[in-house]
Amino acid sequence: MTTNRSIPAPHPHVPHPHVPDTLVERLPPLSRRLMLGAGAAGLILPGLARAQSAPSGGGTAGNGPNDAINVSGAHNAPIPIALPPFTNASAGPSELGDQITQVITADLDHCGLFRSIDANSFVPNSVANGVPVWANWSILGAQALVTGSVTDQGGGQVRVEYRLWGVSQQKQLQGTAYTTASGNWRRIAHIIADDIYQQMIGEKGYFDTRVAYISVSGPPTGPTRRMAVMDYDGANTRFLTSGRSMALSPQFNPTRQQLAFVSFESNNPRVFLFDLQTGARSVVGNFGDMSFGPRFSPDGSALLVSVSHGGGAMIVKYDLASRRQTALTDANSINVTPCYSPDGSKIVFNSDRDGSGDQQLFVMNADGSNVQRISYGSGRYAEPDWSPRGDLIAFTRLGSGGFGIGVMKPDGSGERILSQGYLEEGSTFCPNGRVIMFYRQTPLRVGNVSHLVTIGTDGFNERITPTPTNATDPSWGPLLS
């Protein structure tokens, strides 16, 4: 059975590499008598569709999760995978094929679960009539091999097809072809990398995603802060606000093409919604005081907002359809940065309500009842983010060693710091919950520099995500659909 998902076309205000009228084909397993692509059945779909499982047949195709590698084992010993450059229709060099292979390789290397084998070690002519010469790949220690080709279809269209092979099993695990506009090649590469991840690891990848963040530019004494969105790896940055008013704290709606963010228009911080399809903005609620720290509910129908009142701040639930406001806490203390659990039953937030003198993390029911403190380490805790897997809560902690990014279980146990530095804040999980992005600020002789950084929840595989300017406040969006 093949599962497909399609993407609605974005509005010109927010361009995105959409894949219209993409032809997606499931490629059957190959024999030495069957040339690549022959006999494949096609299905024309509106928008971008993705086939998530390979066909079975003849005892040569994979069985999906049954062929998956244990993730903890992959952390200790990354899966060796061979990714020769995609070729053209004549099996010759292809510049676009080489670019696609580079993106797939970078994606798989990013997660730390794969180790791409040096292409200089490949034995020439190790794919014959589209089928691997198994001995040539086994001798390199490859557990998996990816082969592919790019064919110019004319009229600005290309056909990209790939096959994932299990070297030890000597069989095809996945085979898919896409016919689409040539400008969508990077998006196709991310989708292929996600498919490889899912086939080999047994869970969904996170490469076909976007990250919203705050771009910081200009002089240190008066920086311009614009909301921006990019592919997860830093490509295709688009600026969404002009910078005339400071923007902060963007958050993706998990089910709609929408962002919530804080704008300082008229020097009064308020929460706004930004429609990624139309570019339209609208203010959230009429709270009468400053509102900040927005977070969507898991179904995207409501927002949690912190609202200042007197000397404190309360957490308010705002229903986007009815515009009904429900106070979940009082403002007798500072209650801020709320975040739902993935099932919507709990909310984690930080507060100084217990009189300890420091901000701590608390968990309450979604209706505001049964508040329980969960953080007890030294220092101040802030900005909790609940993992999509439900197993961890990420946070910022300010202690004697400076700022740090850490994780703990939802009951507060198992606390550990993943990274620590001069200023580290704003953690956000990728969709499968295995990687965290945050921002790190480093002081310079004049001013500072701010980078977006990713790190595994095990504290390994730290990487800087390139951005055209300084960057803060990341929000990792869901898998594109």
Side-chain angles (χ1 to χ4, degrees), residues 222-242:
T224 298
R225 300 181 186 271
R226 294 181 291 172
M227 186 168 64
V229 66
M230 65 181 183
D231 296 352
Y232 98 96
D233 59 359
N236 296 319
T237 291
R238 284 89 70 194
F239 296 101
L240 307 181
T241 58
S242 66

PDB file of all heavy atoms in Angstrom, residues 222-242:
ATOM      1  N   GLY A 222      21.234  49.120  17.805  1.00  0.00           N
ATOM      2  CA  GLY A 222      19.882  49.232  17.268  1.00  0.00           C
ATOM      3  C   GLY A 222      19.625  48.218  16.182  1.00  0.00           C
ATOM      4  O   GLY A 222      19.383  48.573  15.028  1.00  0.00           O
ATOM      5  N   PRO A 223      19.653  46.911  16.508  1.00  0.00           N
ATOM      6  CA  PRO A 223      19.525  45.881  15.478  1.00  0.00           C
ATOM      7  C   PRO A 223      18.114  45.810  14.896  1.00  0.00           C
ATOM      8  O   PRO A 223      17.131  46.171  15.553  1.00  0.00           O
ATOM      9  CB  PRO A 223      19.868  44.595  16.229  1.00  0.00           C
ATOM     10  CG  PRO A 223      19.504  44.893  17.655  1.00  0.00           C
ATOM     11  CD  PRO A 223      19.823  46.336  17.847  1.00  0.00           C
ATOM     12  N   THR A 224      18.040  45.361  13.671  1.00  0.00           N
ATOM     13  CA  THR A 224      16.765  45.090  13.008  1.00  0.00           C
ATOM     14  C   THR A 224      16.432  43.619  13.192  1.00  0.00           C
ATOM     15  O   THR A 224      17.252  42.744  12.898  1.00  0.00           O
ATOM     16  CB  THR A 224      16.852  45.420  11.508  1.00  0.00           C
ATOM     17  OG1 THR A 224      17.126  46.819  11.357  1.00  0.00           O
ATOM     18  CG2 THR A 224      15.562  45.080  10.799  1.00  0.00           C
ATOM     19  N   ARG A 225      15.230  43.341  13.688  1.00  0.00           N
ATOM     20  CA  ARG A 225      14.797  41.961  13.938  1.00  0.00           C
ATOM     21  C   ARG A 225      13.602  41.653  13.051  1.00  0.00           C
ATOM     22  O   ARG A 225      12.522  42.191  13.249  1.00  0.00           O
ATOM     23  CB  ARG A 225      14.447  41.766  15.416  1.00  0.00           C
ATOM     24  CG  ARG A 225      15.627  42.039  16.345  1.00  0.00           C
ATOM     25  CD  ARG A 225      15.259  41.814  17.802  1.00  0.00           C
ATOM     26  NE  ARG A 225      16.343  42.206  18.696  1.00  0.00           N
ATOM     27  CZ  ARG A 225      17.323  41.395  19.085  1.00  0.00           C
ATOM     28  NH1 ARG A 225      17.349  40.149  18.650  1.00  0.00           N
ATOM     29  NH2 ARG A 225      18.271  41.835  19.891  1.00  0.00           N
ATOM     30  N   ARG A 226      13.834  40.777  12.066  1.00  0.00           N
ATOM     31  CA  ARG A 226      12.796  40.383  11.112  1.00  0.00           C
ATOM     32  C   ARG A 226      12.472  38.908  11.279  1.00  0.00           C
ATOM     33  O   ARG A 226      13.359  38.090  11.523  1.00  0.00           O
ATOM     34  CB  ARG A 226      13.260  40.636   9.682  1.00  0.00           C
ATOM     35  CG  ARG A 226      13.457  42.085   9.316  1.00  0.00           C
ATOM     36  CD  ARG A 226      13.907  42.224   7.864  1.00  0.00           C
ATOM     37  NE  ARG A 226      15.267  41.726   7.665  1.00  0.00           N
ATOM     38  CZ  ARG A 226      15.845  41.596   6.476  1.00  0.00           C
ATOM     39  NH1 ARG A 226      15.154  41.875   5.377  1.00  0.00           N
ATOM     40  NH2 ARG A 226      17.083  41.152   6.372  1.00  0.00           N
ATOM     41  N   MET A 227      11.213  38.574  11.099  1.00  0.00           N
ATOM     42  CA  MET A 227      10.835  37.167  11.093  1.00  0.00           C
ATOM     43  C   MET A 227      11.168  36.571   9.729  1.00  0.00           C
ATOM     44  O   MET A 227      10.927  37.185   8.686  1.00  0.00           O
ATOM     45  CB  MET A 227       9.347  36.998  11.397  1.00  0.00           C
ATOM     46  CG  MET A 227       8.928  35.540  11.546  1.00  0.00           C
ATOM     47  SD  MET A 227       7.270  35.345  12.249  1.00  0.00           S
ATOM     48  CE  MET A 227       6.245  36.107  10.975  1.00  0.00           C
ATOM     49  N   ALA A 228      11.746  35.368   9.744  1.00  0.00           N
ATOM     50  CA  ALA A 228      12.156  34.709   8.507  1.00  0.00           C
ATOM     51  C   ALA A 228      11.783  33.239   8.594  1.00  0.00           C
ATOM     52  O   ALA A 228      11.515  32.692   9.675  1.00  0.00           O
ATOM     53  CB  ALA A 228      13.665  34.868   8.288  1.00  0.00           C
ATOM     54  N   VAL A 229      11.771  32.577   7.438  1.00  0.00           N
ATOM     55  CA  VAL A 229      11.535  31.144   7.376  1.00  0.00           C
ATOM     56  C   VAL A 229      12.513  30.560   6.365  1.00  0.00           C
ATOM     57  O   VAL A 229      12.877  31.205   5.377  1.00  0.00           O
ATOM     58  CB  VAL A 229      10.064  30.830   6.999  1.00  0.00           C
ATOM     59  CG1 VAL A 229       9.746  31.276   5.575  1.00  0.00           C
ATOM     60  CG2 VAL A 229       9.744  29.359   7.184  1.00  0.00           C
ATOM     61  N   MET A 230      12.988  29.343   6.624  1.00  0.00           N
ATOM     62  CA  MET A 230      13.974  28.700   5.763  1.00  0.00           C
ATOM     63  C   MET A 230      13.748  27.195   5.788  1.00  0.00           C
ATOM     64  O   MET A 230      12.992  26.665   6.623  1.00  0.00           O
ATOM     65  CB  MET A 230      15.390  29.005   6.261  1.00  0.00           C
ATOM     66  CG  MET A 230      15.686  28.415   7.624  1.00  0.00           C
ATOM     67  SD  MET A 230      17.352  28.796   8.232  1.00  0.00           S
ATOM     68  CE  MET A 230      17.347  27.875   9.789  1.00  0.00           C
ATOM     69  N   ASP A 231      14.380  26.483   4.860  1.00  0.00           N
ATOM     70  CA  ASP A 231      14.433  25.032   4.957  1.00  0.00           C
ATOM     71  C   ASP A 231      15.240  24.662   6.192  1.00  0.00           C
ATOM     72  O   ASP A 231      16.081  25.441   6.656  1.00  0.00           O
ATOM     73  CB  ASP A 231      15.087  24.428   3.719  1.00  0.00           C
ATOM     74  CG  ASP A 231      14.292  24.682   2.443  1.00  0.00           C
ATOM     75  OD1 ASP A 231      13.154  25.191   2.551  1.00  0.00           O
ATOM     76  OD2 ASP A 231      14.811  24.383   1.353  1.00  0.00           O
ATOM     77  N   TYR A 232      15.036  23.474   6.704  1.00  0.00           N
ATOM     78  CA  TYR A 232      15.669  23.111   7.980  1.00  0.00           C
ATOM     79  C   TYR A 232      17.189  23.229   7.935  1.00  0.00           C
ATOM     80  O   TYR A 232      17.836  23.458   8.963  1.00  0.00           O
ATOM     81  CB  TYR A 232      15.271  21.674   8.377  1.00  0.00           C
ATOM     82  CG  TYR A 232      16.316  20.649   8.015  1.00  0.00           C
ATOM     83  CD1 TYR A 232      17.257  20.219   8.951  1.00  0.00           C
ATOM     84  CD2 TYR A 232      16.421  20.151   6.708  1.00  0.00           C
ATOM     85  CE1 TYR A 232      18.250  19.314   8.615  1.00  0.00           C
ATOM     86  CE2 TYR A 232      17.420  19.253   6.371  1.00  0.00           C
ATOM     87  CZ  TYR A 232      18.325  18.829   7.319  1.00  0.00           C
ATOM     88  OH  TYR A 232      19.312  17.947   6.981  1.00  0.00           O
ATOM     89  N   ASP A 233      17.787  23.079   6.732  1.00  0.00           N
ATOM     90  CA  ASP A 233      19.240  23.098   6.603  1.00  0.00           C
ATOM     91  C   ASP A 233      19.797  24.475   6.284  1.00  0.00           C
ATOM     92  O   ASP A 233      20.987  24.621   5.997  1.00  0.00           O
ATOM     93  CB  ASP A 233      19.691  22.098   5.543  1.00  0.00           C
ATOM     94  CG  ASP A 233      19.081  22.375   4.172  1.00  0.00           C
ATOM     95  OD1 ASP A 233      18.297  23.336   4.029  1.00  0.00           O
ATOM     96  OD2 ASP A 233      19.393  21.613   3.227  1.00  0.00           O
ATOM     97  N   GLY A 234      18.955  25.516   6.330  1.00  0.00           N
ATOM     98  CA  GLY A 234      19.411  26.889   6.117  1.00  0.00           C
ATOM     99  C   GLY A 234      19.222  27.405   4.709  1.00  0.00           C
ATOM    100  O   GLY A 234      19.475  28.587   4.447  1.00  0.00           O
ATOM    101  N   ALA A 235      18.768  26.581   3.781  1.00  0.00           N
ATOM    102  CA  ALA A 235      18.561  27.016   2.398  1.00  0.00           C
ATOM    103  C   ALA A 235      17.222  27.740   2.258  1.00  0.00           C
ATOM    104  O   ALA A 235      16.314  27.592   3.080  1.00  0.00           O
ATOM    105  CB  ALA A 235      18.609  25.822   1.450  1.00  0.00           C
ATOM    106  N   ASN A 236      17.104  28.510   1.187  1.00  0.00           N
ATOM    107  CA  ASN A 236      15.832  29.141   0.798  1.00  0.00           C
ATOM    108  C   ASN A 236      15.248  30.053   1.877  1.00  0.00           C
ATOM    109  O   ASN A 236      14.055  30.002   2.183  1.00  0.00           O
ATOM    110  CB  ASN A 236      14.791  28.077   0.417  1.00  0.00           C
ATOM    111  CG  ASN A 236      15.188  27.277  -0.797  1.00  0.00           C
ATOM    112  OD1 ASN A 236      15.716  27.830  -1.770  1.00  0.00           O
ATOM    113  ND2 ASN A 236      14.950  25.972  -0.766  1.00  0.00           N
ATOM    114  N   THR A 237      16.062  30.903   2.466  1.00  0.00           N
ATOM    115  CA  THR A 237      15.557  31.854   3.467  1.00  0.00           C
ATOM    116  C   THR A 237      14.626  32.873   2.814  1.00  0.00           C
ATOM    117  O   THR A 237      14.929  33.426   1.759  1.00  0.00           O
ATOM    118  CB  THR A 237      16.715  32.586   4.156  1.00  0.00           C
ATOM    119  OG1 THR A 237      17.429  31.657   4.969  1.00  0.00           O
ATOM    120  CG2 THR A 237      16.206  33.727   5.036  1.00  0.00           C
ATOM    121  N   ARG A 238      13.474  33.110   3.433  1.00  0.00           N
ATOM    122  CA  ARG A 238      12.547  34.164   3.005  1.00  0.00           C
ATOM    123  C   ARG A 238      12.228  35.036   4.218  1.00  0.00           C
ATOM    124  O   ARG A 238      11.940  34.510   5.296  1.00  0.00           O
ATOM    125  CB  ARG A 238      11.225  33.570   2.464  1.00  0.00           C
ATOM    126  CG  ARG A 238      11.322  32.996   1.081  1.00  0.00           C
ATOM    127  CD  ARG A 238      11.728  31.541   1.097  1.00  0.00           C
ATOM    128  NE  ARG A 238      10.670  30.692   1.627  1.00  0.00           N
ATOM    129  CZ  ARG A 238      10.865  29.431   1.997  1.00  0.00           C
ATOM    130  NH1 ARG A 238      12.059  28.901   1.963  1.00  0.00           N
ATOM    131  NH2 ARG A 238       9.858  28.706   2.438  1.00  0.00           N
ATOM    132  N   PHE A 239      12.294  36.351   4.038  1.00  0.00           N
ATOM    133  CA  PHE A 239      11.983  37.285   5.125  1.00  0.00           C
ATOM    134  C   PHE A 239      10.501  37.631   5.068  1.00  0.00           C
ATOM    135  O   PHE A 239       9.969  37.996   4.021  1.00  0.00           O
ATOM    136  CB  PHE A 239      12.842  38.536   5.010  1.00  0.00           C
ATOM    137  CG  PHE A 239      14.308  38.261   5.168  1.00  0.00           C
ATOM    138  CD1 PHE A 239      15.138  38.186   4.064  1.00  0.00           C
ATOM    139  CD2 PHE A 239      14.840  38.040   6.432  1.00  0.00           C
ATOM    140  CE1 PHE A 239      16.486  37.914   4.209  1.00  0.00           C
ATOM    141  CE2 PHE A 239      16.188  37.768   6.589  1.00  0.00           C
ATOM    142  CZ  PHE A 239      17.017  37.699   5.479  1.00  0.00           C
ATOM    143  N   LEU A 240       9.830  37.539   6.219  1.00  0.00           N
ATOM    144  CA  LEU A 240       8.379  37.686   6.276  1.00  0.00           C
ATOM    145  C   LEU A 240       7.926  39.027   6.819  1.00  0.00           C
ATOM    146  O   LEU A 240       6.792  39.435   6.577  1.00  0.00           O
ATOM    147  CB  LEU A 240       7.780  36.562   7.136  1.00  0.00           C
ATOM    148  CG  LEU A 240       8.167  35.130   6.749  1.00  0.00           C
ATOM    149  CD1 LEU A 240       7.476  34.137   7.674  1.00  0.00           C
ATOM    150  CD2 LEU A 240       7.799  34.851   5.296  1.00  0.00           C
ATOM    151  N   THR A 241       8.756  39.701   7.582  1.00  0.00           N
ATOM    152  CA  THR A 241       8.412  41.026   8.100  1.00  0.00           C
ATOM    153  C   THR A 241       9.497  42.013   7.690  1.00  0.00           C
ATOM    154  O   THR A 241      10.633  41.627   7.397  1.00  0.00           O
ATOM    155  CB  THR A 241       8.255  41.018   9.636  1.00  0.00           C
ATOM    156  OG1 THR A 241       9.473  40.556  10.235  1.00  0.00           O
ATOM    157  CG2 THR A 241       7.109  40.107  10.053  1.00  0.00           C
ATOM    158  N   SER A 242       9.154  43.285   7.689  1.00  0.00           N
ATOM    159  CA  SER A 242      10.042  44.318   7.161  1.00  0.00           C
ATOM    160  C   SER A 242      11.140  44.729   8.128  1.00  0.00           C
ATOM    161  O   SER A 242      12.173  45.254   7.717  1.00  0.00           O
ATOM    162  CB  SER A 242       9.228  45.559   6.784  1.00  0.00           C
ATOM    163  OG  SER A 242       8.670  46.158   7.954  1.00  0.00           O
TER     164      SER A 242
END
